[in-house]
Amino acid sequence: MTLIWAHARSEQIIASNTLEAFRAAIDDGADGLEFDVHQTSDDVLVCAHNDVLEGPGGEKVNIAEATYDDLQKLDVGDETTGVARVPRLEEVFELYAPTDRQLNVEVKNLPHRYPGIAQNVVNHLNRSGMADRIVVSSFDHRVLHEIQQIDRSVAVAALYPDGLLRPWVYLKIVGIPQAHPQYLQLLLPGEITHYQQAGIPVRPWTVDEPEIWQRFIAEGLDGIITNLPASARALRDSESA
């Protein structure tokens, strides 16, 4: 069955990477949650899409240069969440631990490279009690390799944009066992078949078009990452009914 993963938020929530959005994704019935992780100057792993956030006076706050306490002064919510604070990675694990949902921790290590983030992520996973249902992804394939060097049991997936030539060959060579491509790549003739023949699980991002959900579900993709998890799950369930 093609699993539906929420893209850092619920269908009803606009502000992504907030605990409010993550709670609502559970209510949406998403099979999993994809979200983004950065590292503060005092080595706290926090959830945010961009490496620079906006302060209360419009000033720019660079996560790499800020402490966790600095970030707690920011309101990252909107009208759909109300006031919301930047969450720690541990808070997401605590929220999802009682569920059976999967998690995709995207390590944001570009353009800024966070010293020690690979070890920090592995330490958090091993303390979470739910490492068997967590995948770590990144556009920085070097950090994925570093994570594998630290702990081979951690599941990792390569994020990449459209246009990579024969990515299943590349992933086999570098030893990354799962793929999270930009979804346009998978619309090319034979692309999904090659992945399936190579035995590489594939979960494209970010797919919000029902006709493409139908196509990917029919072709047996492992998962779909979407901003509309409730609608995507409803379509999938109706297709299999």
Side-chain angles (χ1 to χ4, degrees):
M1 180 176 65
T2 300
L3 299 182
I4 305 300
W5 287 6
H7 183 230
R9 66 183 181 89
S10 157
E11 193 153 334
Q12 310 305 317
I13 298 289
I14 297 172
S16 65
N17 284 290
T18 62
L19 287 179
E20 291 77 7
F22 299 161
R23 288 190 191 98
I26 296 173
D27 296 336
D28 280 347
D31 301 303
L33 171 72
E34 182 272 352
F35 61 99
D36 310 298
V37 167
H38 296 262
Q39 184 171 272
T40 65
S41 63
D42 51 348
D43 297 332
V44 178
L45 295 176
V46 295
C47 303
H49 185 269
N50 298 324
D51 60 334
V52 177
L53 303 176
E54 186 171 318
E59 70 276 14
K60 302 302 180 183
V61 180
N62 191 312
I63 293 177
E65 299 171 355
T67 66
Y68 172 70
D69 286 343
D70 292 333
L71 298 185
Q72 290 308 287
K73 301 171 185 176
L74 308 181
D75 176 10
V76 294
D78 62 12
E79 66 275 12
T80 63
T81 62
V83 174
R85 303 303 175 194
V86 176
R88 301 188 321 274
L89 179 58
E90 297 101 312
E91 293 178 289
V92 185
F93 289 162
E94 290 166 5
L95 177 62
Y96 273 73
T99 75
D100 61 354
R101 314 303 168 85
Q102 299 177 355
L103 291 175
N104 174 193
V105 179
E106 180 185 341
V107 177
K108 292 280 195 172
N109 204 39
L110 296 171
H112 184 89
R113 297 188 186 276
Y114 298 102
I117 194 169
Q119 184 68 66
N120 202 357
V121 167
V122 170
N123 291 345
H124 279 71
L125 260 62
N126 289 338
R127 291 196 299 265
S128 72
M130 51 186 297
D132 60 337
R133 49 191 171 102
I134 298 174
V135 176
V136 178
S137 66
S138 185
F139 284 100
D140 181 3
H141 300 174
R142 290 180 177 85
V143 81
L144 297 180
H145 177 70
E146 187 177 352
I147 287 170
Q148 288 180 307
Q149 295 294 103
I150 295 168
D151 188 342
R152 297 294 300 183
S153 71
V154 176
V156 297
L159 279 159
Y160 66 89
D162 186 25
L164 191 62
L165 182 64
R166 293 193 292 274
W168 51 90
V169 176
Y170 163 73
L171 295 178
K172 287 289 188 181
I173 291 172
V174 299
I176 297 176
Q178 302 184 48
H180 290 181
Q182 204 276 347
Y183 79 93
L184 291 174
Q185 178 92 27
L186 298 183
L187 300 180
L188 298 172
E191 200 82 0
I192 293 174
T193 299
H194 283 298
Y195 264 119
Q196 291 171 335
Q197 290 174 343
I200 298 175
V202 182
R203 305 176 194 91
W205 54 272
T206 302
V207 191
D208 292 340
E209 297 80 6
E211 64 275 13
I212 300 179
W213 296 338
Q214 286 181 308
R215 175 173 173 174
F216 286 165
I217 290 166
E219 296 194 64
L221 283 193
D222 299 272
I224 292 171
I225 300 170
T226 178
N227 291 313
L228 305 172
S231 296
R233 178 163 180 171
L235 184 144
R236 181 203 62 195
D237 293 348
S238 69
E239 293 284 307
S240 60

